[in-house]
């Protein structure tokens, strides 16, 4: 998460004069926002104590939602033209309500998100995409063309391919790119345009692919669970003596883990792509989620899993007992941690993380 | 006979005897609910564990006894037997930050005291926790869970989407139980709903009288009425409520003698035994005259058209679904029309969908001059309940009123 003093300000602009549109959840169809010639900026909240938001929400709401509201109440997102929400969880629904009521109006939209993959689900979500497109067109008096959406799909498709090329470098032993570096790159995507990012990613790939690091046998872990916005947290885990060779989070790989088909019905293509992508906990597909984690751990040579649950996040917390059982049954060593997605909360877990590294070393 | 079966059987038997001596609306209601609980053990029916907002009429029309999981969690808390199941769930890794209704039921399932359901059917609303815990229960019993995605808003497309899901749910039940739907029975349940609705609207309207003919506990946990939805007993329960309150109003009888303050209760009651209501009534003459969840928000259902569509409209228009605006409108309307002096919001620890709105509740009710007190409690887990502290806060609130 960014510091509250420096809210999600894009580090560079790719196109001058573009309006910025905030978004939260990785199921937000950025292709449509790009096609509207808006600059999507991920809203990440902050890592500091909550100042204002606790007057508006019960402290048993997650740090992410409260800190997003806290930053917004302090004017940290005043530079945005609006925000696109997804009905991803109870807390996000309430954040959307609070945003409409207490943050400067602008454009506010919430999309529903089904927990399923039937034809009816694809059709329903397609209609949600259409509603977003129509709402953007009406609010900004623009037309979002089919061609513009396809163009956005293409450039984002390139980004996704590049991310996976870089991620594959982590399969090497030692990994050719650290988990922190990859997370820094992923985070960059949420603050710069895809064209700029693609160039950066391409350059980084060339640099890392040519690297010849000295082999050091460190435990390799896969990090899964609630979103972590701060790459320093990955760095912290790596400083505890492990290599984070894959992260299964919506702030990293799960954002990029998507393939959009190219048929005559572009919105349906997008609908299918978003609903078919590697599911997060709220999608209720724990078997698939577990299988993905195990398969990825094997593919990337991970010796263990650290699963992080955001405190007060029901979608992840209710999965923990079953997930642990499934992962342990697969023969992987598992460390379950709970925190508020801040570096401070991970700092408190240092002893446990170091102990886990020792277990993996044995 | 299992502990749970014995509990419902004894409850039913005890209430039956009491009803033979004197019929009251409350007794009749609890009696019928206990019979629903007992149906979980009826070999002639299939059984389903559900979340709270599912169309029980469809289940009934297919010979399926449905029970929503929070009902059992509340019942166990009320009977004072919830603690061991909470501890069981926590030992299995369920966070104490999660909803205790859900932890109780998953603990009970892990302990093996729950009857094994034939089916598990849940809706995505009102909360994330309900459908998630149903999934966990499904894993315990190695059964699939049918998930109803309740749309966020009411549009022609979202209505079609929900109706189609109900059709898929019927197929799911048919496939797993071999039971087909009786559409005549379903249509009858729509007519029954409308009849019961008429009585309930009238009964609740009577409670707008000052003093109210109802006391604080007459309508306690009336949300469980959804388990009776569409049935003949539902009409009977509703009629008795109407008749009882009509008679009382006619005779000038109050539910609470010397009613001084009228209160609105937001969301659920506290389920385990406690003295808050007694103190409010006896010390301050404060009467809970309306519970938010008892408000009949739905319009009469279409008796001529597609019953699935009628049920979908009722589900999708619940004020707790979608954005907060309709819920706030309902709260303000209830505060105003029931002439409430204040509102109590027991901010249930594990509840995000309400916890995230507590300031909005306060703001909406402030506009109709109804102050709100938020009680930081867990409505099911009594282990951290500090009755003294809560009473002190309530007393201060009442003095302020």
């Amino acid at each position: 998460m960014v510091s509250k003093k420096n809210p999600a300000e894009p580090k560079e602009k790719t196109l001058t004069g573009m309006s910025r549109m905030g978004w939260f959840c990785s199921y937000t169809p950025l292709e449509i926002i790009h096609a509207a010639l808006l600059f999507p900026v991920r809203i990440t909240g902050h890592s500091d104590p909550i100042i204002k938001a606790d007057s508006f929400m019960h402290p048993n709401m997650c740090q992410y939602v409260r800190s997003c509201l806290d930053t917004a109440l302090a004017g940290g997102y005043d530079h945005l033209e609006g925000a696109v929400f997804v009905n991803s969880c109870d807390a996000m629904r309430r954040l959307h309500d609070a945003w409409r009521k207490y943050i400067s109006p602008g454009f506010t939209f919430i999309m529903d998100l089904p927990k399923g993959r039937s034809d009816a689900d694809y059709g329903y979500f397609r209609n949600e995409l259409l509603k977003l497109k129509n709402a953007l067109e009406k609010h900004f008096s623009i037309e979002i063309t089919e061609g513009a959406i396809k163009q956005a799909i293409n450039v984002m498709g390139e980004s996704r391919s590049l991310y996976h090329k870089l991620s594959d470098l982590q399969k090497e032993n030692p990994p050719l790119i650290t988990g922190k570096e990859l997370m820094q790159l992923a985070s960059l995507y949420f603050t710069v345009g895809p064209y700029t990012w693609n160039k950066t990613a391409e350059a980084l790939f060339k640099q890392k692919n040519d690297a010849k690091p000295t082999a050091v046998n460190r435990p390799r872990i896969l990090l899964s669970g609630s979103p972590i916005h701060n790459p320093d947290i990955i760095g912290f885990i790596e400083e505890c003596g492990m290599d984070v060779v894959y992260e299964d989070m919506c702030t990293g790989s799960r954002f990029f883990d998507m393939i959009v088909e190219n048929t005559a019905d572009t919105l349906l293509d997008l609908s299918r792509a978003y609903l078919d992508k590697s599911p997060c906990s709220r999608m209720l597909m724990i078997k698939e989620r577990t299988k993905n984690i195990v398969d990825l751990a094997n593919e990337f040579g991970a010796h263990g899993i650290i699963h992080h649950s955001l405190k007060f996040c029901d979608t992840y917390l209710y999965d923990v007992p079953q997930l642990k059982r499934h992962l342990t049954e697969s023969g992987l060593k598992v460390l379950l941690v709970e925190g508020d997605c801040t570096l401070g909360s991970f700092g408190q877990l240092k002893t446990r993380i170091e102990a886990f590294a020792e277990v993996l070393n044995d | 006979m299992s502990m749970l079966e014995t509990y419902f059987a004894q409850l039913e038997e005890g209430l039956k005897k009491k009803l033979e001596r004197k019929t009251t609306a409350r007794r009749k209601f609890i009696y019928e609910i206990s019979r629903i609980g007992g149906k979980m053990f009826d070999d002639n029916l299939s059984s389903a564990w559900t979340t709270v907002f599912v169309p029980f009429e469809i289940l009934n029309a297919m010979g399926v006894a449905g029970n929503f999981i929070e009902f059992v969690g509340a019942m166990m808390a009320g009977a004072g037997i919830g603690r061991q199941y909470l501890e069981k769930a926590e030992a299995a890794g369920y966070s104490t930050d999660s909803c205790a209704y859900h932890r109780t039921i998953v603990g009970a399932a892990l302990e093996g005291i729950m009857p094994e359901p034939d089916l598990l059917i849940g809706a995505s609303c009102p909360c994330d926790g309900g459908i998630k815990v149903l999934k966990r229960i499904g894993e315990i019993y190695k059964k699939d869970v049918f998930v109803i995605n309740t749309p966020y808003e009411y549009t022609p497309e979202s209505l079609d989407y929900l109706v189609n899901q109900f059709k898929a749910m019927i197929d799911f039940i048919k496939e797993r139980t071999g039971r087909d739907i009786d559409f005549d029975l379903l249509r009858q349940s729509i007519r029954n709903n409308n009849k019961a609705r008429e009585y309930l609207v009238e009964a609740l309207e009577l409670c707008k009288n000052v003093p109210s003919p109802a006391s604080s506990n007459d309508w306690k946990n009336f949300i469980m009425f959804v388990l009776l939805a569409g049935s003949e007993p539902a009409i009977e329960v509703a009629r008795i409520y109407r008749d009882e309150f009509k008679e009382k109003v006619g005779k000038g009888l109050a539910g609470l003698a010397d009613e001084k303050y009228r209160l609105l209760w937001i969301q659920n009651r506290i389920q385990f035994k406690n003295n808050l209501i007694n103190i409010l009534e006896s010390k301050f003459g404060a009467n809970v005259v309306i519970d938010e969840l008892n408000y009949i928000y739905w319009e009469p259902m279409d008796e001529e058209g597609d019953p699935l569509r009628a049920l979908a409209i009722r589900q999708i228009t619940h004020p707790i679904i979608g954005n907060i605006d309709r819920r706030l409108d309902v709260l303000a309307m209830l505060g105003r029309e029931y002439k409430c002096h204040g509102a109590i919001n027991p901010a249930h620890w594990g509840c995000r969908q309400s916890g995230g709105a507590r300031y909005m509740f306060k703001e909406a009710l402030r506009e109709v001059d109804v102050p709100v007190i938020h009680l930081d409690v867990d409505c099911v887990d009594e282990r951290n309940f500090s009755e003294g502290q809560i009473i002190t806060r309530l007393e201060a609130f009442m003095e302020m009123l």
Side-chain angles (χ1 to χ4, degrees):
Chain A
M1 295 185 194
V2 296
S3 162
K4 193 167 48 171
K5 296 173 188 72
N6 297 299
E9 186 79 28
K11 290 182 178 141
E12 60 179 281
K13 277 186 172 182
T14 52
L15 293 171
T16 52
M18 281 180 80
S19 299
R20 297 165 197 168
M21 181 59 63
W23 62 282
F24 304 84
C25 170
S26 68
Y27 284 88
T28 312
L30 297 196
E31 291 84 350
I32 293 176
I33 298 175
H34 279 303
L37 292 182
L38 295 162
F39 191 103
V41 177
R42 193 163 198 172
I43 294 176
T44 56
H46 65 69
S47 309
D48 304 325
I50 303 294
I51 305 294
K52 292 187 171 182
D54 279 354
S55 304
F56 292 83
M57 284 185 171
H58 197 291
N60 71 358
M61 308 294 282
C62 72
Q63 164 81 12
Y64 175 57
V65 157
R66 284 186 300 137
S67 70
C68 286
L69 181 62
D70 206 47
T71 306
L73 287 165
Y77 300 125
D78 285 354
H79 61 290
L80 301 177
E81 289 291 323
V84 177
F85 295 76
V86 174
N87 181 21
S88 46
C89 64
D90 294 337
M92 196 52 80
R93 268 199 294 156
R94 293 292 88 96
L95 179 62
H96 169 246
D97 290 320
W99 204 278
R100 286 184 301 125
K101 289 178 184 298
Y102 310 121
I103 311 302
S104 59
F107 176 85
T108 308
F109 191 87
I110 186 165
M111 302 177 62
D112 205 1
L113 177 66
K115 303 171 199 282
R117 290 171 177 159
S118 68
D119 284 345
D121 296 322
Y122 294 132
Y124 178 71
F125 192 56
R126 180 198 184 279
N127 196 54
E128 291 297 299
L129 298 171
L130 181 62
K131 279 159 65 180
L132 171 64
K133 174 178 170 285
N134 291 343
L136 287 167
E137 286 179 333
K138 188 175 174 193
H139 183 87
F140 293 101
S141 301
I142 54 169
E143 185 191 356
I144 300 174
T145 64
E146 182 84 359
I149 298 175
K150 286 218 183 273
Q151 193 181 350
I153 289 172
N154 288 339
V155 69
M156 288 188 69
E158 279 176 41
S159 308
R160 290 173 182 129
S161 299
L162 279 164
Y163 183 85
H164 286 297
K165 268 172 73 176
L166 278 150
S167 176
D168 280 349
L169 297 179
Q170 292 190 298
K171 289 178 183 170
E172 301 295 327
N173 190 17
L176 300 184
I177 183 168
T178 67
K180 181 180 175 179
E181 286 169 330
L182 196 57
M183 181 58 106
Q184 282 171 330
L185 183 71
S187 301
L188 186 69
Y189 201 83
F190 309 137
T191 55
V192 303
Y195 294 98
T196 304
W197 188 90
N198 288 356
K199 285 178 194 158
T200 307
E202 191 66 65
L204 186 64
F205 176 76
K206 281 182 187 148
Q207 179 201 330
K208 293 292 176 184
N209 196 35
D210 295 339
K212 298 276 182 283
T214 315
V216 181
N217 277 329
R218 279 157 50 104
R220 298 162 65 88
I221 64 134
L222 183 149
L223 177 64
S224 181
S226 305
I228 288 175
H229 297 277
N230 185 351
D232 288 342
I233 291 175
I234 312 267
F236 174 78
I237 294 170
E238 291 180 322
E239 282 165 19
C240 289
M242 291 177 280
D243 289 324
V244 177
V245 294
Y246 199 88
E247 48 65 35
D248 166 54
M249 292 185 298
C250 74
T251 41
S253 67
R254 268 198 275 110
F255 172 82
F256 293 96
D257 189 13
M258 211 173 90
I259 297 168
V260 188
E261 297 295 327
N262 184 9
T263 73
D265 190 338
T266 309
L267 290 184
L268 189 60
D269 293 339
L270 279 174
S271 170
R272 284 182 181 280
Y274 276 96
L275 293 185
D276 285 350
K277 72 178 189 155
S278 179
C280 79
S281 178
R282 68 83 70 188
M283 301 304 270
L284 304 175
M285 299 170 189
I286 196 168
K287 279 185 192 161
E288 182 178 329
R289 197 176 149 230
T290 313
K291 184 178 182 308
N292 287 348
I293 293 172
V294 172
D295 288 351
L296 286 163
N298 290 332
E299 190 181 340
F300 283 76
H303 307 109
I305 312 283
I306 294 182
H307 186 273
H308 166 254
S309 306
L310 174 60
K311 196 168 174 61
F312 303 123
C313 173
D314 288 335
T315 57
Y316 279 91
L317 286 174
Y318 279 67
D319 270 5
V320 163
Q322 189 71 359
L323 192 77
K324 184 179 183 187
R325 195 165 69 82
H326 284 321
L327 293 177
T328 308
E329 280 170 2
S330 73
L332 289 160
K333 294 207 165 47
V334 182
L335 175 68
L336 300 173
V337 296
E338 189 180 317
D340 59 9
C341 290
T342 62
L343 189 56
S345 72
F346 271 85
Q348 291 169 11
L349 298 167
K350 188 173 187 211
T351 310
R352 288 184 62 204
I353 294 171
E354 285 174 341
F356 187 59
E358 280 179 35
V359 169
L360 295 180
N361 266 323
D362 292 343
Chain B
M1 199 182 261
S2 73
M3 181 190 79
L4 210 57
E5 190 175 5
T6 306
Y7 174 81
F8 281 117
Q10 288 176 348
L11 186 63
E12 184 180 336
E13 191 55 32
L15 284 161
K16 193 175 177 186
K17 283 180 186 161
K18 284 184 179 175
L19 281 166
E20 282 163 7
R21 289 199 297 274
K22 187 187 176 191
T23 299
T24 67
R26 181 73 189 166
R27 275 181 194 170
K28 176 69 176 165
F29 171 56
I30 300 298
Y31 170 70
E32 293 297 345
I33 291 296
S34 69
R35 290 184 65 206
I36 292 282
K39 282 185 179 176
M40 284 190 279
F41 306 93
D42 186 338
D43 292 337
N44 296 316
L45 299 169
S46 296
S47 65
W49 290 109
T50 73
T51 56
V52 61
F53 294 153
V54 301
F56 288 99
E57 293 87 344
I58 296 177
L59 303 187
N60 291 332
M62 298 187 79
V64 176
N67 277 283
F68 66 92
I69 47 177
E70 290 87 352
F71 157 64
V72 183
M75 184 274 295
M76 286 179 170
I81 57 171
R83 176 188 291 235
Q84 59 186 304
Y85 306 120
L86 287 166
E87 288 170 355
K88 179 82 182 175
E90 288 152 17
Y94 288 89
S95 167
T96 51
D97 291 326
S98 62
C99 170
Y101 285 97
H102 301 144
R103 255 181 298 139
T104 304
I105 189 81
V106 83
L110 286 167
E111 195 67 46
I113 69 142
M114 302 292 291
E116 181 171 336
D118 298 305
L119 301 159
L120 294 127
I121 297 171
S124 57
C125 280
C127 65
D128 299 323
I131 189 68
K132 289 292 280 196
V133 83
L134 207 66
K135 280 278 191 181
R136 298 293 82 82
I137 294 170
E139 284 145 12
I140 293 168
Y141 295 114
K142 298 185 171 41
K143 288 190 188 325
D144 294 334
V145 179
F146 186 86
V147 178
I148 301 168
N149 287 289
T150 307
Y152 183 81
E153 61 180 0
Y154 179 17
T155 64
E157 292 82 11
S158 68
L159 185 60
D160 286 344
Y161 177 55
L162 189 53
V163 169
N164 284 331
Q165 290 183 75
F166 286 173
K167 287 177 183 166
M169 184 184 92
I170 291 167
D171 291 341
F172 175 86
I173 297 172
K174 207 186 290 184
E175 214 171 86
R176 280 157 181 78
T177 65
R179 295 175 185 273
D180 210 343
I181 187 158
D182 181 340
F183 270 102
D184 288 337
L185 199 59
L186 189 62
R187 285 190 193 90
Q188 183 58 46
S189 73
I190 300 293
R191 291 191 286 276
N192 290 351
N193 274 340
N194 283 342
K195 194 68 204 162
R197 181 188 178 280
E198 261 179 54
Y199 289 134
L200 285 180
V201 167
E202 205 180 331
L204 287 164
E205 193 69 22
L206 286 161
C207 295
K208 290 179 181 173
N209 280 288
V210 181
S212 169
S215 70
S216 298
N217 281 335
D218 278 333
W219 290 107
K220 182 184 172 186
N221 286 341
F222 197 74
I223 191 170
M224 292 190 295
F225 188 80
V226 298
L227 291 170
L228 303 174
S231 68
E232 293 288 341
I235 301 176
E236 191 61 4
V237 167
R239 185 188 62 74
I240 296 173
Y241 264 100
R242 191 279 309 266
D243 291 351
E244 185 174 312
F245 294 153
K246 195 172 182 179
E247 186 184 347
K248 280 177 137 181
V249 169
K251 290 180 178 173
L253 295 173
L256 174 66
D258 200 18
E259 176 187 284
K260 289 191 181 72
Y261 296 100
R262 299 166 64 82
L263 300 175
L264 160 65
W265 195 279
I266 299 173
Q267 199 149 315
N268 296 110
R269 296 289 187 97
I270 298 170
Q271 303 298 342
F272 49 82
K273 286 187 175 59
N274 67 85
N275 279 314
L276 302 191
I277 293 292
N278 284 345
I279 287 170
L280 282 170
E281 288 192 343
S282 61
K283 190 169 177 182
F284 296 100
N287 193 13
V288 178
V289 293
I290 183 71
D291 287 64
E292 175 201 11
L293 294 182
N294 294 348
Y295 169 61
I296 308 295
Y297 65 91
W298 46 282
E299 294 297 313
M301 302 170 90
D302 179 7
E303 297 180 3
E304 306 304 321
D306 177 4
L308 299 182
R309 191 158 287 265
L311 291 166
I313 291 171
R314 187 190 60 187
Q315 177 150 335
I316 213 168
T317 55
H318 195 292
I320 225 163
I321 285 162
N323 76 34
I324 200 75
D325 296 353
R326 284 181 305 130
R327 189 170 179 193
L328 298 180
D329 289 346
V330 167
L331 285 171
M333 178 275 292
L334 294 175
R336 188 176 59 244
E337 294 193 3
Y338 283 81
K339 305 167 195 73
C340 293
H341 299 95
I344 295 177
N345 175 30
H348 178 51
W349 178 247
C351 183
R352 321 294 169 212
Q353 58 92 5
S354 268
R358 69 179 193 169
Y359 181 79
M360 294 178 247
F361 294 157
K362 206 161 199 162
E363 195 178 55
L365 283 160
R366 189 190 299 135
E367 285 182 20
V368 290
D369 294 325
V370 177
V372 179
I373 181 169
H374 300 300
L375 302 179
D376 286 324
V377 295
D378 189 310
C379 292
V380 171
D381 184 355
E382 61 183 310
R383 290 171 299 177
N384 294 322
F385 184 61
S386 305
E387 188 164 81
Q389 283 178 17
I390 300 284
I391 287 171
T392 304
R393 291 199 63 217
L394 264 183
E395 285 175 342
F397 180 67
M398 293 310 302
E399 281 162 20
M400 183 269 290
L401 293 184

